[in-house]
Amino acid sequence: MRKHMTAAALTAATALVLAACGSAEPGDTGDGGDGGDGGGETLTIGIKYDQPGLGLQKGADYVGFDVDVARYVADKLGYGEDQLEFVEAVSANRETMLQNGDVDMIFATYSITDDRKEVVEFAGPYFVAGQDLLVAANDDSITGPEDLEGKNLCSVTGSTSAERIKEEYAEGVELVERPGYSECVSALASGAVDAVTTDDIILAGLAAAQEDPTTFKVVGNPFSEENYGVGLPQGSTDLCEEINTAITEMIEDGTWEELVATHTDGTGYVANEELNPPEPDACA
């Protein structure tokens, strides 16, 4: 009996050792080079599924600026395309997904704020957006939020961006809510509203998604600053530094500029040159 128990114990111990040797944190690929096999691990990345130009699910594929930045960073961490798993990261659930270990990282127009930094860690920023306005291409009457007095402004239900304009720039603006930005764009196309508001690169992505990308234009007068970061679980300092190195390389080798141009093609959009390309912050 004692011999059988000893053998069983050794077998169990060996299994535990092998399991420990096989485990790895995201970024600890063990292959020593870019574009490797990621040590056999899968990297789970949270993205938006419904933001044209940034994070959009198209059948079995995922496209957009955020998605391509995620792919670039993952490659630098040593993960091949077949090791990436993209999952939807709804804005309200992002912190919970990171805290519960549902994702390894999030690229989803995730603005870095002090409140969020209390519960998650951020790498980046990899882009600095600003709240702006989308209007008809032939509308020269709206050049900033102050021009919205007496006009109809659309934003998504629950967003604070339109309220901010009403409180700070145009008290007489009429606010119109829609369940999604695609519905706001449809209202703009029909003339039911005069403008749509959210972050400038999101607006550019919406314009680029039209059959004719010159139908609308981003006013180009941003009035806020939103630093898009890579959401990570707390305590991911080493991984944060690896991601920041990848972001810096992406900017220096010209890929960042190419991706911005690709996903806003035809709209005339230009990223705010005073804020972009950004310099990643030091990791905590």
Side-chain angles (χ1 to χ4, degrees), residues 6 21 40 51 77 87 95 123 133 183 189 232 252 257 263:
T6 301
C21 292
Q51 284 186 341
L77 294 177
V87 299
E95 287 81 21
L133 303 169
E183 289 86 354
L232 301 169
E252 291 177 349
E257 186 175 359
H263 294 294

Side-chain angles (χ1 to χ4, degrees), residues 257-276:
E257 186 175 359
E258 290 176 8
L259 294 180
V260 172
T262 295
H263 294 294
T264 61
D265 186 42
T267 67
Y269 171 77
V270 178
N272 188 322
E273 294 179 352
E274 294 182 3
L275 302 174
N276 287 292

Side-chain angles (χ1 to χ4, degrees), residues 185-214:
V185 171
S186 296
L188 181 60
S190 70
V193 301
D194 300 290
V196 180
T197 189
T198 187
D199 295 352
D200 53 2
I201 193 168
I202 296 176
L203 296 173
L206 291 166
Q210 305 305 303
E211 185 174 346
D212 178 0
T214 65

Side-chain angles (χ1 to χ4, degrees), residues 15-253:
L16 286 172
V17 171
L18 290 174
C21 292
S23 63
E25 293 295 321
D28 184 15
T29 64
D31 64 11
D34 297 344
D37 64 7
E41 299 294 316
T42 297
L43 190 67
T44 305
I45 303 174
I47 60 171
K48 290 294 181 69
Y49 275 17
D50 58 355
Q51 284 186 341
L54 287 147
L56 185 68
Q57 183 182 32
K58 296 183 72 173
D61 198 11
Y62 305 94
V63 297
F65 176 73
D66 281 355
V67 179
D68 282 346
V69 171
R71 286 190 172 111
Y72 183 100
V73 169
D75 179 70
K76 291 297 181 179
L77 294 177
Y79 289 85
E81 179 71 25
D82 61 345
Q83 293 174 279
L84 305 185
E85 179 185 2
F86 290 109
V87 299
E88 185 174 20
V90 177
S91 293
N93 298 341
R94 291 177 296 197
E95 287 81 21
T96 302
M97 293 176 74
L98 289 167
Q99 291 172 322
N100 290 347
D102 298 326
V103 293
D104 296 309
M105 55 189 68
I106 291 179
F107 292 75
T109 58
Y110 201 2
S111 295
I112 302 171
T113 68
D114 289 339
D115 287 344
R116 288 170 177 166
K117 286 165 72 173
E118 292 292 324
V119 292
V120 301
E121 192 161 334
F122 283 99
Y126 59 88
F127 189 85
V128 182
Q131 186 179 346
D132 211 322
L133 303 169
L134 186 71
V135 300
N138 60 359
D139 186 352
D140 297 324
S141 68
I142 300 175
T143 60
E146 300 87 352
D147 297 325
L148 292 170
E149 283 288 343
K151 297 184 182 294
N152 296 321
L153 174 66
C154 190
S155 191
V156 298
T157 303
S159 171
T160 59
S161 56
E163 288 287 349
R164 182 170 185 265
I165 290 176
K166 188 175 183 68
E167 292 172 2
E168 300 181 20
Y169 296 98
E171 185 178 348
V173 66
E174 295 293 332
L175 303 184
V176 178
E177 290 189 341
R178 293 288 186 269
Y181 285 113
S182 59
E183 289 86 354
C184 277
V185 171
S186 296
L188 181 60
S190 70
V193 301
D194 300 290
V196 180
T197 189
T198 187
D199 295 352
D200 53 2
I201 193 168
I202 296 176
L203 296 173
L206 291 166
Q210 305 305 303
E211 185 174 346
D212 178 0
T214 65
T215 302
F216 307 113
K217 66 180 178 183
V218 180
V219 167
N221 185 14
F223 44 96
S224 75
E225 187 174 320
E226 306 293 337
N227 292 269
Y228 290 172
V230 184
L232 301 169
Q234 278 193 323
S236 304
T237 304
D238 290 345
L239 180 57
C240 172
E241 291 174 352
E242 290 185 64
I243 293 172
N244 279 353
T245 297
I247 291 170
T248 300
E249 291 180 14
M250 177 180 64
I251 291 168
E252 291 177 349
D253 69 18

